[in-house]
Amino acid sequence: VVTPIHKLPTELLSETFLLAVDSVRDWLRQVLAISHVCAHWRRLACAMPRLWNRPLGLNLKRASSDTYLSTSKSFLERSAPLLIPITLTNEVPDASPLLEFVRH
């Protein structure tokens, strides 16, 4: 039997997302998995600040500053108006655009 998941109330689906994210250690992987199920779930997940306002640890040696800049911007936009604790590690010469963006 196929379950009509698209007929679930948004509030119930939202609470399910929060429970799923709170129940795992790697919350980022879980949020990304939820937001990639379908377009409806992506819109809902991206519109839920409580899914995105978790601590964001950035290791600047793993990718370019442009990558971290776009990632940070996405998280800040999706978590608004809530705050995100951000931890930056490892000094990299090209980190200044990211640091400037986070500062603002």
Side-chain angles (χ1 to χ4, degrees), residues 45-93:
C46 289
M48 291 180 59
R50 288 175 49 202
L51 277 180
W52 301 95
N53 75 319
R54 295 156 196 275
L56 183 60
L58 301 176
N59 185 332
L60 299 176
K61 286 192 175 182
R62 290 191 178 175
S64 69
S65 61
D66 290 340
T67 300
Y68 279 111
L69 185 60
S70 64
T71 301
S72 300
K73 185 176 179 182
S74 294
F75 274 79
L76 291 170
E77 289 171 350
R78 291 174 185 167
S79 69
L82 305 175
L83 300 175
I84 296 179
I86 298 175
T87 303
L88 299 172
T89 59
N90 295 329
E91 293 181 30
V92 176

Side-chain angles (χ1 to χ4, degrees), residues 14-40:
S14 297
E15 287 302 316
T16 304
F17 290 174
L18 289 170
L19 288 172
V21 170
D22 289 342
S23 69
V24 295
R25 187 172 186 191
D26 189 357
W27 69 270
L28 178 56
R29 188 178 307 265
Q30 189 73 3
V31 168
L32 294 175
I34 287 169
S35 66
H36 284 82
V37 169
C38 65
H40 174 65

